[in-house]
Amino acid sequence: MNGEISFYQNKFNGNEFYSVGFQMLEGLQTGQNITWRLLLQKKITQFLDINFNYQGRKSESSQAIHTGNIQLRAYF
C-alpha cells in the first residue's frame, strides 16, 4: 500500500481553462488545491497480481474529481 496527499497554492496569472494554461497547471486551478492518491498492490497467486489505483483532486472553486483503475496482471 502506498499513499500521498499534497497541497498546492497556485498564483497563476492568465486563463487556466485555455489549453496551455490547463496543461501547465496539470488540471489544478488558481488558488488552493489539494491532491491525493492511493495505490494498493496484492499478489494473488504466483502468476497473478492485482493493482488498484485511486487519485483525486479538489480546488477552492470546484467539486472533487475522482479517478481510478484496476489492473490484473498474469505472468506466464
Side-chain angles (χ1 to χ4, degrees):
M1 182 179 351
N2 188 339
E4 177 181 295
I5 297 175
S6 300
F7 175 78
Y8 299 95
Q9 177 69 38
N10 282 336
K11 295 181 180 179
F12 180 74
N13 292 325
N15 189 339
E16 66 260 18
F17 298 110
Y18 285 154
S19 59
V20 174
F22 188 82
Q23 186 70 26
M24 286 173 52
L25 296 173
E26 297 180 354
L28 300 176
Q29 297 180 2
T30 303
Q32 295 180 353
N33 295 270
I34 187 168
T35 63
W36 56 90
R37 99 182 152 81
L38 178 65
L39 173 63
L40 300 172
Q41 296 178 313
K42 176 71 175 163
K43 186 172 190 163
I44 299 172
T45 68
Q46 183 179 358
F47 303 105
L48 284 176
D49 289 351
I50 191 165
N51 296 333
F52 172 74
N53 187 16
Y54 164 71
Q55 297 179 19
R57 69 177 187 254
K58 170 84 175 93
S59 68
E60 293 177 306
S61 60
S62 70
Q63 294 183 358
I65 297 171
H66 306 275
T67 58
N69 63 51
I70 296 176
Q71 180 182 53
L72 181 65
R73 290 186 191 175
Y75 299 98
F76 50 93

